[in-house]
Amino acid sequence: DNFKIVNDTYGHDAGDELLVSIADRLVKFTRPGDIVGRLGGDEFVVLSEYVDSDETVIKIAQRINEVMRKPFNSSNRIVYISASIGMAIGHGSTHSAEDLLRNSDAAMYMAKEHGRDGWYLFSSQIYENLVQKISITNGLKTAIELNEFHLVYQPVVATNSKIIKGAESLLRWNRAEGPVSPAYFIPLAELSGDIVSIGRWVFREACKTIARIQGEFQSNTPYTSINVSTRQLNEDGIVAEFKAILKETGAKPENIVIEITETSLMTDVHKNILVLNELADLGMRIAVDDFGTGYSSLLQLLKMPLSIIKIDREFIDGLDKKPQSRAITSAVTKMASVMDKKTIAEGVENEAQLFELQAQGCDMIQGFYFYRPMAVDEYIELLQNQKVSDTNDKPKVYTVIYVSRASESLTHNNIQEILEVARKRNAELCITGFLIFNNGYFMQFLEGRKEFIDTLLEKIVNDRRHDNVRIILSTFNKKRLFTDWTMGYWNMRDAGSEIDFSTWQKQTFNLLEISNDAKLCYAFFEAISSKKLS
């Protein structure tokens, strides 16, 4: 695996020395009587006779994987590598040598595709996959000529108002044999290089749609995003090519968003920055797609002319279930706001996800909850029928602050029990908040859906551990202060515990007295939310 890196880094002499060491190790750790050969490059083959079961050859492969992980000494350098192994079992009466080599080679590539450093045993399924892959790869070369491609458009809406802000153009392929998933054929197009001509076709077709929408909506034209692949982005002359297509179709660059995946941005950072700046200079906006799934440098992202950050659907899918997903989406949204970038959440599929994205301040959303990808005529008709006056841009997060007197019998252990129950309940009801305790009084901040907060407040009022519950503030907010669906806690008795306040303290205020100033109470919790006290 990745033998080329050794050659490129340390030179071919070091690479040759490593190959000799690999060969020695293979001979040593295969069975007596097995034949080890080098086919060429970094490929070796082991011929094992008298194999009585699949388990026998699997054990051989596992042993080879294990010994290949151990360090090699090449030109006085410690080198770590791994091996991807494909296996095929056959008999001379049923298989030729070529059959076995071809089948084991196909299985080896399956091992590489599934993360390397492992093994695959050839099967009819692998053969069918290989045949299908060859068929798809060959079909890509004639798909444009045969008019098998078409674009669909998935609307992107403003998170609060539901107004359609634009749409992502998505490529679809319908062969005579049936439709092929983009998740399957696009990686193959990348590998074969056909993605360059396909990407050119996509850009031209999307620009035709943009010109058509411009004619319908004039200055209020929604944007259209166009995906650009890694290979396409690194092609010399891509900017000149796009300029020519803009002139040909009449599409205005200000109505175009170029979408680049986070991982592709990092393949050639210097060249990426130059190309993206040129595209931005034409008037196009740049969006980074699948944000959070790659390993990009924030510094590099800051250097790029990005206007939009799209939060990957993997995090949105877990938004109403996983604390980590909520934390990541909240962090990305806040970071984008600081950087003056817009955010789009991908893959929104239910009302709970929508509410949380509204609560976190995400700008736009895309997903099946509102619209599936649709044909261009259907999309334009949707835009024509959109009633902007019916939209609702009101804040959605219900926020309450109350103060209450703690029961005299309440102990520290009792408070911890209250917190334990509250944290579990809040996680179930998507409620965030914070509890302050001082000199026998509680002050609590709660935020979430109004129906859940109202139900919770009713329970608190009827809880004998609270006396004289009084609402300080109840209102709607655009965003949450706290992102974790839990309950933070601060005992003010511990504040400044090592400081002597006696010469400075003129008057002592309890939480009940402070509660007369709702703005001051809110400011307390606003400050706490940034400090993450717990």
Side-chain angles (χ1 to χ4, degrees):
D1 296 326
N2 299 317
F3 177 76
K4 186 176 182 294
I5 294 175
V6 177
N7 261 348
D8 292 346
T9 306
Y10 301 123
H12 289 278
D13 288 344
D16 290 345
E17 186 179 333
L18 178 59
L19 288 174
V20 172
S21 299
I22 290 170
D24 289 342
R25 203 173 281 188
L26 283 172
V27 170
K28 182 178 179 182
F29 286 97
T30 49
R31 303 179 311 170
D34 287 347
I35 297 172
V36 178
R38 176 167 168 255
L39 288 180
D42 59 358
E43 289 194 355
F44 291 82
V45 63
V46 178
L47 174 61
S48 300
E49 296 187 282
Y50 306 110
V51 173
D52 55 2
S53 67
D54 292 355
E55 285 71 24
T56 302
V57 74
I58 288 171
K59 286 179 181 177
I60 297 171
Q62 289 173 333
R63 186 159 65 245
I64 292 173
N65 275 139
E66 186 179 339
V67 300
M68 286 298 161
R69 294 183 192 116
K70 295 179 180 178
F72 287 86
N73 192 319
S74 179
S75 298
N76 296 319
R77 297 182 183 89
I78 299 299
V79 177
Y80 290 89
I81 63 166
S82 60
S84 296
I85 303 171
M87 300 169 290
I89 300 175
H91 192 276
S93 61
T94 58
H95 296 79
S96 67
E98 288 77 13
D99 289 337
L100 289 177
L101 285 170
R102 183 181 62 251
N103 294 348
S104 58
D105 196 49
M108 179 194 69
Y109 278 102
M110 287 295 291
K112 285 188 179 292
E113 284 184 11
H114 286 78
R116 305 173 187 266
D117 190 18
W119 55 266
Y120 254 79
L121 182 62
F122 181 80
S123 65
S124 58
Q125 183 62 51
I126 288 178
Y127 176 74
E128 289 169 10
N129 289 342
L130 185 62
V131 170
Q132 184 184 26
K133 187 176 292 186
I134 293 170
S135 173
I136 296 297
T137 302
N138 290 338
L140 285 168
K141 299 186 183 304
T142 58
I144 295 174
E145 181 184 337
L146 296 175
N147 200 29
E148 293 176 338
F149 286 135
H150 70 280
L151 295 182
V152 293
Y153 297 84
Q154 185 172 29
V156 176
V157 304
T159 307
N160 286 322
S161 70
K162 317 303 187 307
I163 295 172
I164 297 174
K165 294 294 186 179
E168 180 181 1
S169 56
L170 299 164
L171 181 61
R172 296 293 184 261
W173 184 17
N174 287 322
R175 305 181 73 192
E177 298 88 340
V180 186
S181 168
Y184 189 81
F185 75 77
I186 287 178
L188 291 179
E190 289 267 8
L191 285 172
S192 66
D194 292 308
I195 196 69
V196 175
S197 59
I198 293 171
R200 187 183 304 118
W201 180 90
V202 168
F203 190 82
R204 179 176 283 107
E205 291 301 307
C207 283
K208 290 178 184 177
T209 297
I210 292 165
R212 184 177 164 188
I213 295 173
Q214 287 170 186
E216 291 274 351
F217 299 95
Q218 304 301 323
S219 60
N220 294 320
T221 302
Y223 78 82
T224 301
S225 67
I226 305 170
N227 290 282
V228 175
S229 74
T230 309
R231 293 283 291 267
Q232 203 178 354
L233 192 67
N234 291 323
E235 279 287 302
D236 292 333
I238 184 175
V239 178
E241 187 176 272
F242 281 6
K243 285 176 71 174
I245 293 173
L246 290 174
K247 185 177 181 181
E248 170 195 329
T249 60
K252 295 179 181 178
E254 59 265 30
N255 296 326
I256 297 174
V257 171
I258 298 294
E259 285 198 24
I260 312 291
T261 61
E262 183 186 3
T263 47
S264 71
L265 281 172
M266 296 300 117
T267 54
D268 187 342
V269 174
H270 180 68
K271 187 172 183 179
N272 289 162
I273 292 174
L274 292 175
V275 172
L276 293 177
N277 277 321
E278 288 186 64
L279 293 175
D281 289 342
L282 290 178
M284 301 180 194
R285 286 174 288 166
I286 311 297
V288 57
D289 196 8
D290 300 339
F291 189 81
T293 61
Y295 301 94
S296 56
S297 160
L298 182 57
L299 179 62
Q300 299 294 1
L301 287 178
L302 286 170
K303 292 179 181 177
M304 294 179 181
L306 301 177
S307 299
I308 300 169
I309 293 175
K310 298 188 76 173
I311 306 170
D312 186 68
R313 67 182 62 247
E314 180 181 335
F315 304 116
I316 305 306
D317 182 52
L319 197 59
D320 51 347
K321 309 177 192 77
K322 303 174 186 174
Q324 299 91 336
S325 294
R326 293 193 293 275
I328 290 170
T329 54
S330 175
V332 172
T333 302
K334 288 177 180 176
M335 178 193 73
S337 179
V338 170
M339 295 166 62
D340 198 25
K341 316 293 183 192
K342 297 295 184 182
T343 47
I344 299 176
E346 297 182 286
V348 179
E349 295 189 354
N350 60 53
E351 203 270 338
Q353 293 168 351
L354 171 63
F355 177 83
E356 196 55 34
L357 290 163
Q358 290 170 330
Q360 292 187 4
C362 182
D363 297 297
M364 291 172 277
I365 58 173
Q366 178 180 352
F368 290 176
Y369 184 68
F370 282 100
Y371 302 106
R372 291 177 177 269
M374 60 188 70
V376 61
D377 290 342
E378 186 182 350
Y379 173 53
I380 291 175
E381 184 179 354
L382 178 68
L383 291 174
Q384 291 169 335
N385 295 331
Q386 180 175 235
K387 296 180 180 179
V388 177
S389 59
D390 290 344
T391 60
N392 182 2
D393 195 17
K394 293 180 180 178
K396 300 295 190 298
V397 184
Y398 190 56
T399 301
V400 171
I401 303 176
Y402 74 83
V403 66
S404 66
R405 185 163 57 86
S407 166
E408 292 181 4
S409 60
L410 206 60
T411 66
H412 173 75
N413 288 338
N414 294 145
I415 294 176
Q416 293 305 313
E417 289 171 7
I418 291 173
L419 288 171
E420 187 177 338
V421 172
R423 285 165 178 162
K424 182 179 178 181
R425 178 191 58 221
N426 289 2
E428 294 170 352
L429 300 178
C430 318
I431 292 174
T432 55
F434 205 93
L435 179 67
I436 299 175
F437 180 70
N438 185 47
N439 292 334
Y441 283 92
F442 290 119
M443 184 180 290
Q444 188 165 18
F445 182 99
L446 297 168
E447 55 186 356
R449 300 191 193 193
K450 187 176 186 303
E451 60 269 30
F452 294 158
I453 298 293
D454 286 343
T455 301
L456 178 58
L457 278 174
E458 187 177 343
K459 290 182 179 179
I460 290 171
V461 169
N462 294 323
D463 190 333
R464 292 183 179 180
R465 293 170 296 189
H466 295 267
D467 289 332
N468 303 324
V469 176
R470 181 164 66 83
I471 303 298
I472 302 169
L473 174 72
S474 63
T475 187
F476 285 95
N477 229 344
K478 281 193 173 182
K479 299 181 185 178
R480 288 186 187 271
L481 281 187
F482 301 88
T483 55
D484 295 335
W485 295 354
T486 182
M487 180 56 61
Y489 175 63
W490 177 29
N491 189 336
M492 287 182 66
R493 178 189 60 191
D494 300 329
S497 56
E498 296 181 6
I499 300 175
D500 180 9
F501 289 101
S502 59
T503 58
W504 302 93
Q505 198 82 28
K506 304 301 180 186
Q507 188 175 351
T508 301
F509 297 95
N510 62 36
L511 291 177
L512 183 62
E513 292 165 319
I514 293 172
S515 70
N516 291 311
D517 189 337
K519 189 173 182 179
L520 176 62
C521 295
Y522 187 87
F524 270 6
F525 291 108
E526 195 170 33
I528 289 168
S529 70
S530 64
K531 292 291 184 182
K532 297 290 288 183
L533 293 174
S534 60

